[in-house]
Amino acid sequence: MFGELSPTRGDVKKHSHLKIAKFHQHSVDQLDEDMTPLEYMNSQFPEKNLELEAWRSRVGRFGVSGEMQTAKIKYMSDGQKSRLVFAYIAECNPHILFLDEPTNHLDMESIDSLADAINEFAGGMVLVSHDFRLIGKVAKEVWLCENKRVEVWKGDILEYKKKLTKDMERKVKAGLTTPQ
């Protein structure tokens, strides 16, 4: 999707106007920690010519509010930084979201808000997550990536979780692993 890998067969062609936004565990590293959230957003989108109050409103929708908006990013928690990155992604107005472990550093309320936002998003989404709760709230399909294959799981995420539990119980019983 991002041109980082070459296909083993065939071609990969992406529409020239397609916008894909990517969130991963290290997305917060893109933030300039010596800026405030408002300065950062204004620097990333100068063409929008927004006043400070407009940026306050936009980042505020993502839980970056009050004094946090004018304090340097380096003083924000990882969860707060993640919310600022989500605000950045929203400003990019992508067609497809690629979310790799987006719940790391988020509290339950932020995870619920993320699930609501994903469900309202009109574009496409690829979600890579170990957070069964988030997956259960947003996934239309579950793809299993194992043994160098990708297959669509026929049930929902809770059925898959039950399968994992049974598989682990069998391995423990057979002495192939220890209980965790």
Side-chain angles (χ1 to χ4, degrees):
M1 288 177 66
F2 302 100
E4 296 169 6
L5 300 173
S6 299
T8 54
R9 287 184 296 222
D11 296 319
V12 175
K13 294 180 182 174
K14 159 175 119 166
H15 191 280
S16 62
H17 297 293
L18 178 66
K19 289 189 276 182
I20 302 174
K22 181 178 183 180
F23 180 93
H24 55 82
Q25 300 175 63
H26 306 290
S27 288
V28 297
D29 295 342
Q30 79 185 29
L31 302 172
D32 182 338
E33 295 208 327
D34 289 323
M35 293 180 143
T36 69
L38 300 177
E39 291 168 342
Y40 176 76
M41 294 296 283
N42 197 43
S43 74
Q44 296 302 301
F45 302 100
E47 71 282 358
K48 294 192 178 203
N49 291 319
L50 293 177
E51 296 294 326
L52 212 54
E53 286 307 310
W55 283 122
R56 281 186 182 283
S57 173
R58 289 179 183 215
V59 299
R61 291 183 309 155
F62 291 85
V64 179
S65 58
E67 292 180 8
M68 187 189 321
Q69 293 181 342
T70 56
K72 294 203 183 290
I73 292 169
K74 64 180 156 193
Y75 299 118
M76 296 170 73
S77 71
D78 287 338
Q80 293 165 336
K81 290 176 185 177
S82 292
R83 292 196 299 263
L84 180 56
V85 172
F86 286 125
Y88 168 84
I89 287 171
E91 285 299 321
C92 292
N93 198 20
H95 301 106
I96 297 175
L97 293 174
F98 183 88
L99 305 175
D100 183 3
E101 298 295 349
T103 59
N104 288 359
H105 310 297
L106 296 182
D107 58 23
M108 294 304 247
E109 184 180 328
S110 297
I111 293 170
D112 289 341
S113 295
L114 175 61
D116 292 342
I118 289 170
N119 285 326
E120 289 176 19
F121 181 63
M125 182 198 56
V126 176
L127 172 65
V128 177
S129 181
H130 291 90
D131 188 321
F132 284 91
R133 191 164 161 269
L134 176 67
I135 297 168
K137 287 183 169 201
V138 303
K140 307 291 185 261
E141 256 183 356
V142 176
W143 295 358
L144 303 182
C145 305
E146 44 189 24
N147 303 322
K148 297 183 179 184
R149 297 180 57 128
V150 177
E151 296 177 347
V152 176
W153 175 252
K154 300 286 187 241
D156 66 17
I157 194 65
L158 294 178
E159 290 169 308
Y160 180 66
K161 189 175 183 179
K162 288 177 190 173
K163 176 201 174 299
L164 289 177
T165 301
K166 285 181 184 177
D167 289 351
M168 184 57 71
E169 289 169 351
R170 270 190 237 115
K171 288 179 181 180
V172 167
K173 195 172 185 177
L176 300 173
T177 190
T178 57
Q180 296 181 358

